[in-house]
Structures are given as structure tokens and as C-alpha cells.
Amino acid sequence: MFKVINWRGHLRVNKQAGAERVITRMGKLLGEPFTLLSYERYRKMPDLAEVRMTSPLDAQEPQEAVFRALLAAQRIGGPWSVRCHMFNDRLDFEGIAAKTVQTHFTVPGVEWLLFFVSAEEPAPQSEQESPAPSPG
């Protein structure tokens, strides 16, 4: 089962309260609340905040998870660069969008987003990491 969409984002906000407002607006677009997991200043660009969050997905099948995740992402912005990994019948699916590559986000304050969907938890720590295939 695919329970949640894991999100990582860079937001142009001054304080955690500002990040919470941006995340609330994104949740209203999806019709599902986001849960903020972490907030900190982005070390490479201190004028941005880095957030980690989840939104409900509750999909049983991989096809349903991919479809729902893409619909959710499209409501927040686009275009998205997407990748899909299959390892031993396990699906990992992710998308990345950034203002620096002409993405238009529908919620002000969003600069960069990554979403990650997997039947297994947790999400990778950075956009550079990819899940390794299981041994054996």
C-alpha cells in the first residue's frame, strides 16, 4: 500500500509560521492536509527554508499511486521531471520541479519541490539519492 506522498521543498519564507501558511495553501489545493515533518534554513541559500512534509495518498496499487501523485503535483505546479524505479516488483516514483527551470507554482513562496512515493518508508534524504536494489 502507498500511504503517503513524501515531499521536500525549498520555500521563500522568513519563519516557520510562513512555511506553515504556504503548506496550508498547498493542502487546500489538494483537498488534503499536509503534515510538516521538519523545517530549517536551507544551508546553501539561507534566504530559503527547507521543509519535509507528507500528504495522504492511500492508494492500493502502483498505478493508482502514480496517477494520484501526478494529479496532486500538477495542482501545485508544473512542469515536473519524473522518474520511476522498479526493484523486485517494488515501485519508487518521484518528481522534481523548480522555478529555476521555468516551473510555475500555483502557491506563492514555493521555489523547489520534490515528491516521492514508495510502498516502503522512508523517503530518500536528498534528490541525489536513489534507492538501492534489495540484495538477493
Side-chain angles (χ1 to χ4, degrees), residues 26-97:
M26 291 184 347
K28 286 180 181 179
L29 285 173
L30 268 57
E32 298 281 356
F34 276 75
T35 300
L36 180 63
L37 303 175
S38 69
Y39 167 92
E40 61 187 52
R41 300 313 304 173
Y42 181 44
R43 63 180 169 77
K44 293 181 183 178
M45 297 177 71
D47 56 325
L48 298 178
E50 183 173 3
V51 295
R52 293 178 192 277
M53 55 208 158
T54 61
S55 62
L57 185 58
D58 296 321
Q60 295 292 326
E61 299 298 323
Q63 303 88 330
E64 179 186 13
V66 168
F67 181 70
R68 285 185 177 183
L70 286 173
L71 285 178
Q74 196 60 38
R75 288 183 183 122
I76 295 171
W80 291 83
S81 175
V82 296
R83 293 189 317 180
C84 183
H85 309 280
M86 289 292 292
F87 300 110
N88 299 328
D89 293 330
R90 186 186 101 201
L91 172 79
D92 292 339
F93 180 74
E94 67 184 9
I96 299 172

